[in-house]
Amino acid sequence: MIKKYYDQDCNLGMLDGKTVAIIGFGSQGHAHAMNLHESGVDVVVGLRPGSAHTAKAEAAGLKVLGIEEAAEAGDIVMILAPDELQASIYKNQIEKHMKEGNVLAFAHGFNIHYSQIQPAADLDVIMIAPKGPGHTVRSEYQAGKGVPCLVAVEQDATGKALDKALAYAAAIGGARAGVLETTFRTETETDLFGE
């Protein structure tokens, strides 16, 4: 039986005192960062030096750091760079900054499912995947609604990985519309083969 969650099932308090580092500020990145920020979550945006997105993120009132600095600052590190760049960004700029109990998050399961990224065993590894493009995730949130999300837990080092994934989904507006629990494998394969 597929589990479905709504706002009342999610505890936003799971994000209290935590910093979410959003790596990338493209379609999903800008929507996640701005929705989290407006939900009262402490957000930093990690971008490469000279990124064209820096001015846009700063204009939205967000703190912009280099990718390594953002990874160091983040209790939850959400990688929203393009799939083909994620493994090298993780290996070269993020991995060394991940601490025990931190959360590594994705919006698509590809790099975890195909073992392109192999996180340490002491991390929570979760996915929060809105089922719509970033501009819709943003506009629905602003309209007081949301885009349904999938959540998945690949690794639960703290025993609270699902709670954190649900809190994140609620903070970007997904739990207003409904959140379905899945697996990294199912999300990746249905996404790749359902195009």
Side-chain angles (χ1 to χ4, degrees):
M1 187 70 200
I2 292 176
K3 283 197 183 154
K4 208 181 221 180
Y5 304 90
Y6 294 95
D7 273 335
Q8 63 269 23
D9 308 309
C10 305
N11 176 10
L12 265 178
M14 293 300 299
L15 303 178
D16 287 353
K18 304 261 188 270
T19 297
V20 177
I22 301 290
I23 308 301
F25 201 71
S27 174
Q28 289 289 339
H30 93 279
H32 285 234
M34 291 167 75
N35 292 4
L36 286 162
H37 178 67
E38 287 173 23
S39 290
V41 178
D42 182 31
V43 177
V44 297
V45 177
L47 295 173
R48 59 183 166 65
S51 168
H53 294 300
T54 300
K56 197 164 97 175
E58 288 175 343
L62 299 166
K63 183 176 182 181
V64 177
L65 301 170
I67 292 171
E68 293 205 27
E69 292 78 12
E72 175 67 33
D75 301 291
I76 298 168
V77 179
M78 169 58 98
I79 304 181
L80 292 171
D83 281 342
E84 63 275 13
L85 303 178
Q86 288 185 10
S88 78
I89 289 172
Y90 182 74
K91 187 173 188 307
N92 298 316
Q93 297 178 276
I94 294 174
E95 187 171 29
K96 58 188 162 223
H97 298 290
M98 298 298 288
K99 299 171 274 304
E100 181 180 347
N102 279 174
V103 180
L104 186 61
F106 298 87
H108 179 37
F110 184 88
N111 277 286
I112 292 292
H113 178 55
Y114 290 109
S115 303
Q116 302 302 299
I117 293 175
Q118 296 180 303
D122 62 4
L123 303 177
D124 286 343
V125 181
I126 62 175
M127 176 171 50
I128 304 94
K131 297 318 292 172
H135 64 88
T136 307
V137 173
R138 181 70 185 136
S139 62
E140 287 292 288
Y141 177 92
Q142 289 175 299
K145 298 186 284 211
V147 170
C149 289
L150 298 175
V151 295
V153 173
E154 183 71 12
Q155 209 166 268
D156 188 4
T158 65
K160 301 231 180 280
L162 178 61
D163 294 333
K164 293 172 192 172
L166 291 171
Y168 187 111
I172 62 169
R176 296 169 179 173
V179 178
L180 297 176
E181 199 175 341
T182 186
T183 64
F184 272 68
R185 176 183 178 170
T186 300
E187 187 278 336
T188 302
E189 292 179 351
T190 53
D191 193 72
L192 291 178
F193 302 117
E195 293 293 325

